[in-house]
């Protein structure tokens, strides 16, 4: 780079740590690696804006976790204080089973005109509505108010707090009605769609009152159901009794009218449906039908006997006596035939057999004639009987036809009487069943779990309220921190500048307050000489931070062999650019390089105070007098050698108002060319560039510009504006240095600073001892 040793470092490979004096460079290389990670992280977060937002919010919360915890604690305290004035409330519960009544039992469903079966699905909800109705609640309230004695609220763990805060306790007889009314207004009924068990709860400051209210409510609700059903059956019975009396009168009148008409019309009935004439007509009709059938049968036998041979008649063929006589005749003829073959007809035996044959034939003919006569007689008898029955039937038909009109009117009266009787019997039966139902006191509600006196209040819940308050405080605290983080536009963490400015972050300088915590003996000296911390406190995290920043700068410029002049500036005052310049110069001098600090802040110079050199001669003299630059390296005593080997300072010189005019002159260019040839590295400390143009003028003449940013001080807008101006001027902005960064405000292990810082400080403390 700028010397032979530096050129060795500028090879394409990473430099060898052993080639740089001092073991601290190994630590510095690790620091530069951390800066590379910061740049890589910045590039990655630009590609993922959403992840960056979440990480940014989480980082803000971690940074201000103390504030976050204070908000959470205050919320918990507010929740606890909110609980104290509240009266402890006890909750009692009971379970009731609501079932459907069996209306088919003894036909009880027929006793009421309403149909309860159609509304069985919503019966539970109906019962719940009735339970919460004003009439039931009033009955419970009146019953509890009738009890003697005041309702007292038992002392609780909050009583002492309430007394200390002068809060009254609800007690005494006058509070009874108020407590009962409060309990009445807190009745809650919860139903389950999967079963018919309902849960009833009541809240009250008095645990005994809560349990008593529920038990009385259950009793009154069951009693109300019984009374409701009893009143319904009683009303039905009363209505049926009045209707039954009216129906009895109507029945009696209709029966009297029926009997009177029957007597007047001469109608005689054997039963409820038939009278005597109709019954006689039916009998004659039956007998006539039988006579006609019998006559047809007899006539058929008679006509057959007239037209057929006697021996072919069924009556003759089937007659047993004729068949026996016929058999005897046949047998005798066979015997006569047998004897005639041997004897003459005059043979005695033949004559005797012939006489028997004649007798049998005479008897046979007589019997056959008798059968034919009987057939004729029977036919004549059947014919005569049919004619007589027909005559009688015709006469009866005329008689019944004459009674038709009277029978119609009689049937009308009879149907009216029968209808009245049926209604009377049905109403009488229902009246008896209603009397039985009114005597039966069955309820469809039963108590599953009676209400017990609760042992502890369920609200106010101190833990729950405190937890809610803590959560509310946590959310409010998070919102406060996030809003404050959004409003606070300062650059706070490593990587922020690289993300917003899109330029490398060359180094991170920890806050000097951390070193004070570990170096109590030298706290005052550290506070006074922070500008020389790299020289005075070599084994410290601050010194290591500047050495790591130096290596980052050298690595960033190793490709450009002529880069040896750097401008250090900031956007606004108080960001530590002079401190960074002095400590970087010390770090450069430690590695054996000659370094010159030019204090170009002609208005508020600081470098002569830091290194304890005179400021009677300096940059302003050289630029104003335009003296010759030939001669020794000190330029006539303007460049002062410090107590640190290899480190020189060109102070600002006497103050002047025309500093910008001096810097615009050509003599500054010649001066910078002169010092470039006499020193390995030149660091130029300039004023804040957003307020003065001096830094922009000098940056245009230097090789590179380094922008110093102070954590939690430099705003993003200021840093972006400064970088934009340098870009517009064409200046080479090498990167940024984050100064005064407190690792303790970052998440644990952020880039390894927390753990490594403390372990490194402990290591240095051990070596010092």
């Amino acid at each position: 780079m700028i010397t032979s040793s530096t050129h060795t470092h500028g090879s394409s490979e990473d430099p060898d740590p052993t080639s740089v004096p001092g073991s601290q460079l190994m630590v510095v290389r690790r620091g530069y690696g951390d800066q590379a990670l910061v740049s890589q992280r910045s590039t990655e977060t630009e590609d993922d804006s959403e992840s960056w937002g979440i990480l940014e919010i989480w980082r803000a919360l971690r940074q201000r976790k103390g504030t976050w915890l204070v908000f959470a604690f205050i919320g918990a305290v507010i929740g606890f204080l909110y609980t104290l004035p509240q009266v402890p409330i006890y909750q009692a519960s009971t379970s009731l089973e609501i079932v459907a009544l069996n209306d088919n039992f003894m036909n009880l469903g027929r006793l009421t005109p309403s149909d309860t079966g159609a509304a069985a699905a919503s019966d539970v909800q109906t019962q719940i509505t009735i339970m919460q109705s004003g009439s039931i609640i009033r009955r419970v309230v009146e019953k509890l108010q009738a009890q003697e004695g005041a309702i007292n609220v038992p002392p609780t763990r909050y009583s002492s707090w309430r007394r200390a805060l002068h809060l009254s306790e609800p007690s005494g007889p006058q509070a009874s009605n108020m407590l009962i009314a409060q309990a009445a207004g807190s009745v809650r009924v919860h139903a389950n769609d999967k079963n018919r068990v309902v849960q009833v709860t009541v809240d009250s400051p008095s645990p005994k009152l809560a349990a008593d209210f529920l038990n009385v409510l259950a009793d009154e609700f069951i009693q109300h159901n019984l009374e409701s059903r009893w009143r319904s059956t009683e009303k039905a019975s009363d209505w049926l009794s009045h209707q039954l009396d009216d129906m009895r009168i109507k029945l009696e009148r209709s029966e009297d009218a029926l009997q009177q008409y029957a007597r007047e019309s001469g109608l005689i009935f054997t039963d409820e449906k038939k009278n005597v004439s109709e019954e006689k007509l039916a009998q004659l009709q039956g007998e006539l039908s039988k006579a006609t059938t019998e006559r047809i049968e007899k006539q058929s036998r008679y006509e057959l006997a007239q037209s057929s041979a006697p021996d072919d008649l069924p009556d003759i063929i089937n007659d047993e006596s004729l068949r026996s006589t016929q058999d005897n005749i046949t047998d005798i003829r066979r015997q006569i035939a047998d004897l005639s073959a041997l004897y003459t007809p005059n043979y005695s035996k033949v004559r005797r057999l012939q006489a028997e044959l004649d007798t049998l034939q005479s008897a046979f003919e007589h019997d056959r004639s008798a059968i034919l006569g009987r057939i004729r007689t029977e036919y004549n008898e059947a014919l005569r009987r049919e004619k007589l029955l027909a005559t009688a039937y015709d006469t009866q038909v005329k008689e019944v036809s004459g009674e038709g009109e009277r029978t119609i009117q009689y049937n009308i009266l009879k149907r009216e009487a029968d209808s009245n009787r049926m209604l009377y019997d049905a109403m009488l039966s229902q009246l008896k069943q209603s009397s039985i139902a009114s005597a039966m006191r069955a309820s469809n509600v039963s108590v599953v779990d009676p209400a017990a006196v609760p042992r502890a209040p369920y609200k106010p819940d101190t833990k729950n309220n405190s937890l809610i308050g803590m959560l509310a405080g946590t959310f409010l605290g998070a919102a406060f921190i996030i809003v404050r983080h959004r409003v606070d536009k300062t650059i706070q963490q490593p990587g922020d500048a690289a993300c917003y400015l899109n330029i490398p972050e060359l180094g991170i300088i920890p806050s000097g307050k951390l070193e004070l915590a570990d170096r109590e003996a030298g706290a005052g000296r550290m506070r006074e000489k922070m500008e020389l911390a790299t020289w005075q406190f070599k084994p410290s995290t601050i010194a290591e931070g500047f050495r790591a920043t130096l290596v980052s700068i050298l690595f960033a410029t190793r490709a450009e062999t002529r880069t040896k002049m750097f401008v250090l500036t900031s956007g606004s005052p108080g960001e530590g650019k002079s401190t960074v310049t002095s400590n970087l110069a010390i770090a450069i001098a430690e590695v054996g390089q000659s370094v010159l600090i030019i204090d170009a802040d002609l208005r508020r110079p600081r470098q002569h105070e830091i290194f304890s050199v005179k400021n009677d001669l300096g940059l302003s003299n050289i630029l104003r007098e335009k003296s010759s630059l030939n001669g020794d390296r000190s330029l006539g005593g303007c460049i002062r050698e410090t107590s640190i080997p290899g480190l020189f300072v060109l102070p600002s010189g006497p103050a002047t108002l025309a500093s910008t005019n001096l810097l615009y002159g050509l003599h500054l260019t010649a001066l910078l060319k002169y010092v470039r040839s006499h020193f390995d590295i030149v660091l130029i400390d300039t004023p804040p560039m957003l307020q003065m143009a001096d830094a922009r003028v000098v940056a245009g003449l230097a090789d590179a510009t380094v922008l110093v940013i102070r954590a939690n001080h430099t705003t993003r807008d200021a840093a972006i504006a400064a970088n934009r101006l340098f870009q517009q001027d064409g200046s080479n902005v090498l990167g940024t240095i984050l100064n005064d960064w407190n690792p303790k405000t970052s998440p644990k292990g952020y880039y390894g600073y927390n753990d490594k810082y403390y372990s490194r400080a402990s290591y240095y403390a051990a070596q010092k001892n």
Side-chain angles (χ1 to χ4, degrees):
M1 263 177 50
I2 37 186
T3 63
S4 59
S5 61
T6 308
H7 287 300
T8 305
H9 300 163
S11 60
S12 60
E13 299 179 356
D14 291 339
D16 186 1
T18 59
S19 65
V20 182
S23 60
Q24 65 271 19
L25 188 55
M26 297 181 63
V27 180
V28 171
R29 288 192 60 201
R30 290 195 295 271
Y32 178 76
D34 291 341
Q35 307 310 318
L37 291 176
V38 172
S39 300
Q40 181 182 1
R41 171 184 174 272
S42 301
T43 304
E44 291 175 353
T45 53
E46 288 176 0
D47 297 334
D48 191 357
S49 58
E50 181 179 359
S51 177
W52 169 261
I54 295 175
L55 292 176
E56 185 179 7
I57 291 174
W58 175 244
R59 188 174 62 192
L61 296 176
R62 290 292 300 271
Q63 287 176 1
R64 295 175 175 84
K65 59 183 178 181
T67 304
W68 202 9
L69 293 176
V70 169
F71 268 91
F73 177 74
I74 293 175
V77 171
I78 293 175
F80 176 75
L81 295 177
Y82 173 76
T83 304
L84 291 180
Q86 299 182 13
V87 178
I89 302 299
Y90 296 82
Q91 185 177 83
S93 63
T94 184
S95 299
L96 302 178
E97 181 184 9
I98 302 176
V99 298
L101 286 173
N102 184 12
D103 290 334
N104 292 326
F105 176 68
M106 297 185 66
N107 293 324
L108 296 180
R110 301 169 59 185
L111 301 180
T112 57
S114 60
D115 184 10
T116 59
S122 59
D123 184 60
V124 174
Q125 295 298 328
T126 302
Q127 296 296 327
I128 290 175
T129 304
I130 295 174
M131 188 187 308
Q132 293 178 300
S133 63
S135 60
I136 300 295
I137 299 298
R138 281 194 298 271
R139 291 173 60 174
V140 177
V141 171
E142 291 173 359
K143 188 171 183 178
L144 290 175
Q145 289 178 347
Q147 296 178 357
E148 298 181 357
I151 301 174
N152 296 322
V153 178
T156 63
R157 55 183 177 178
Y158 306 104
S159 299
S160 57
W161 289 87
R162 294 177 62 84
R163 287 192 297 270
L165 297 175
H166 302 286
L167 298 174
S168 61
E169 293 284 349
S171 60
Q174 297 180 351
S176 299
N177 294 339
M178 180 188 66
L179 294 177
I180 294 174
Q182 181 180 355
S186 66
V187 176
R188 298 291 182 271
V189 183
H190 308 280
N192 192 341
D193 296 336
K194 298 181 179 180
N195 53 54
R196 303 180 68 88
V197 177
V198 297
Q199 192 80 13
V200 188
T201 60
V202 167
D203 301 342
S204 176
S206 173
K208 186 176 184 302
L209 175 61
D212 292 343
F213 193 97
L214 273 183
N215 291 327
V216 174
L217 176 63
D219 295 340
E220 292 298 324
F221 178 59
I222 294 174
Q223 186 64 28
H224 173 270
N225 280 354
L226 294 175
E227 293 176 356
S228 177
R229 291 182 60 82
W230 180 81
R231 286 194 299 267
S232 177
T233 54
E234 280 294 314
K235 290 180 180 179
S237 298
D238 294 341
W239 182 83
L240 286 174
S241 297
H242 290 89
Q243 295 297 320
L244 189 62
D245 294 338
D246 296 340
M247 187 56 62
R248 183 184 300 110
I249 296 174
K250 291 177 65 177
L251 177 60
E252 292 175 353
R253 291 177 180 176
S254 61
E255 288 181 346
D256 292 342
L258 178 63
Q259 296 298 329
Q260 183 178 358
Y261 182 79
R263 287 193 300 268
E264 292 177 353
S265 60
L267 295 177
I268 302 174
F269 291 87
T270 57
D271 55 21
E272 295 181 354
K273 295 182 178 181
K274 294 182 180 181
N275 56 23
V276 175
S277 298
E278 290 178 350
E279 186 175 359
K280 183 178 179 180
L281 179 62
Q283 291 176 356
L284 288 174
Q285 185 179 7
E287 290 297 328
L288 180 59
S289 298
K290 292 180 181 179
T292 302
T293 302
E294 184 178 359
R295 189 265 305 168
I296 292 173
E297 180 184 356
K298 300 295 186 183
Q299 183 178 357
S300 175
R301 289 176 59 194
Y302 175 74
E303 290 177 354
L304 182 62
Q306 292 292 330
S307 61
S308 299
D311 294 337
D312 295 334
L313 293 174
D315 295 75
I316 296 175
I317 294 174
N318 296 329
D319 189 271
E320 292 295 332
S321 62
L322 290 178
R323 187 183 299 117
S324 176
T325 302
Q326 185 68 30
D327 292 338
N328 291 333
I329 293 172
T330 302
D331 181 60
I332 292 174
R333 285 179 179 176
R334 181 183 57 77
Q335 292 179 11
I336 291 175
D338 291 339
L339 293 175
S340 297
L342 297 176
Y343 304 99
T344 64
N346 294 324
Y347 183 65
S348 60
K349 192 174 183 178
V350 172
R351 287 198 303 271
R352 185 175 54 84
L353 290 174
Q354 186 64 40
E356 290 179 3
L357 176 62
D358 294 338
T359 302
L360 289 173
Q361 286 180 344
S362 176
F364 179 78
E365 290 295 334
H366 180 271
D367 292 339
R368 185 174 63 181
S369 298
I371 291 174
L372 293 175
R374 187 175 67 249
I375 292 174
R376 183 173 57 253
T377 301
E378 290 177 354
Y379 166 69
N380 292 329
E381 181 183 358
L383 182 61
R384 178 63 181 171
R385 185 171 181 272
E386 180 184 12
K387 290 179 179 181
L388 293 174
L389 288 175
T391 301
Y393 178 77
D394 293 338
T395 303
Q396 191 63 32
V397 167
K398 294 178 180 180
E399 183 180 354
V400 171
S401 298
E403 296 178 354
E405 296 180 359
R406 293 176 293 172
T407 304
I408 291 173
Q409 183 63 30
Y410 177 85
N411 289 334
I412 293 174
L413 296 175
K414 186 176 184 302
R415 282 194 297 270
E416 183 180 358
D418 292 341
S419 176
N420 291 335
R421 180 171 293 279
M422 290 178 62
L423 289 175
Y424 178 79
D425 292 341
M427 294 178 67
L428 181 60
S429 175
Q430 293 295 328
L431 180 60
K432 293 179 180 180
Q433 293 180 2
S434 177
S435 300
I436 296 174
S438 61
M440 298 177 59
R441 303 180 64 83
S443 176
N444 63 329
V445 181
S446 61
V447 178
V448 179
D449 292 323
V453 177
R455 298 182 178 179
Y458 87 104
K459 70 176 183 180
D461 190 346
T462 306
K463 294 181 180 179
N464 190 35
N465 291 344
S466 299
L467 179 60
I468 293 175
M470 184 179 66
L471 292 177
T474 301
F475 284 114
L476 290 177
F480 173 78
I481 292 172
I482 292 172
V483 171
R484 183 178 178 183
H485 179 74
R486 293 295 184 184
V487 174
D488 184 7
K489 295 184 178 181
T490 60
I491 295 176
Q492 302 173 358
Q493 300 296 333
D496 288 353
C499 179
Y500 295 124
L501 304 181
N502 198 24
I503 57 177
E505 190 171 67
L506 301 174
I508 303 171
I509 309 303
S511 175
K513 298 178 181 179
L514 299 178
E515 197 72 22
L516 294 177
D518 294 321
R519 296 174 179 269
E520 296 179 358
R525 196 156 51 96
M526 170 67 76
R527 192 175 292 108
E528 294 175 359
K529 292 295 184 180
M530 186 65 66
E531 295 86 352
L532 302 177
T534 305
W535 177 253
Q536 296 178 350
F537 303 98
K538 294 183 178 181
S540 65
T541 55
I542 298 177
E544 294 299 337
F546 283 111
R547 295 183 185 112
T549 302
L550 172 62
V551 173
S552 299
I553 294 173
L554 296 179
F555 281 175
T557 59
R558 62 183 177 180
E560 302 177 7
T561 57
R562 65 178 300 275
T563 303
K564 58 187 303 183
M565 186 173 295
F566 302 92
V567 172
L568 283 87
T569 186
S570 61
S572 303
E575 296 181 358
K577 59 177 180 53
S578 299
T579 301
V580 172
T581 301
S582 61
N583 281 280
L584 280 178
I586 295 173
I588 294 172
E590 284 181 343
V591 297
Q593 304 289 315
S594 61
V595 57
L596 172 65
I597 298 178
I598 299 178
D599 193 350
D601 191 350
L602 302 180
R603 297 173 181 80
R604 296 181 61 184
R606 285 274 297 135
Q607 296 298 333
H608 68 282
E609 297 177 356
I610 295 174
F611 292 99
S612 302
V613 297
K614 295 181 179 180
N615 194 29
D616 54 346
L617 295 175
L619 178 62
S620 61
N621 300 96
I622 296 174
L623 297 179
R624 185 171 49 249
E625 297 174 2
K626 299 181 181 179
S627 57
S628 176
L629 299 177
N630 297 325
D632 59 355
R633 190 167 66 171
S634 65
L635 294 177
C638 290
I639 297 178
R640 313 296 178 116
E641 184 175 3
T642 66
S643 60
I644 301 173
L647 194 153
F648 299 86
V649 176
L650 174 58
S652 63
T656 178
L657 297 177
S659 59
T660 305
N661 297 333
L662 294 176
L663 295 176
Y664 265 115
L666 297 177
H667 204 57
L668 177 62
T669 305
L671 173 62
L672 297 180
K673 182 179 180 181
Y674 176 80
V675 297
R676 182 192 296 272
S677 62
H678 288 78
F679 296 94
D680 294 332
I681 296 179
V682 178
L683 300 180
I684 305 175
D685 184 10
T686 62
M689 59 89 56
L690 291 179
Q691 300 178 359
M692 299 118 181
D694 299 6
R696 299 172 62 185
V697 174
V698 179
L701 303 175
D703 298 329
T705 302
V706 177
L707 189 61
V708 177
I709 294 174
R710 184 175 180 180
N712 297 311
H713 184 273
T714 305
T715 63
R716 297 192 295 267
D717 296 338
I720 293 173
N723 182 53
R724 185 185 302 114
L725 290 175
F726 280 129
Q727 297 295 336
Q728 292 175 356
D729 295 342
S731 302
N732 178 23
V733 181
L734 188 62
T736 63
I737 297 175
L738 182 64
N739 185 33
D740 197 24
W741 173 63
N742 187 356
K744 291 185 178 181
T745 63
S746 299
K748 185 178 180 180
Y750 191 91
Y751 301 119
Y753 272 99
N754 281 355
D755 296 337
K756 292 184 178 180
Y757 163 72
Y758 288 112
S759 62
R760 194 176 297 165
S762 301
Y763 169 75
Y764 289 146
Q767 278 205 344
K768 183 178 179 180
N769 295 333

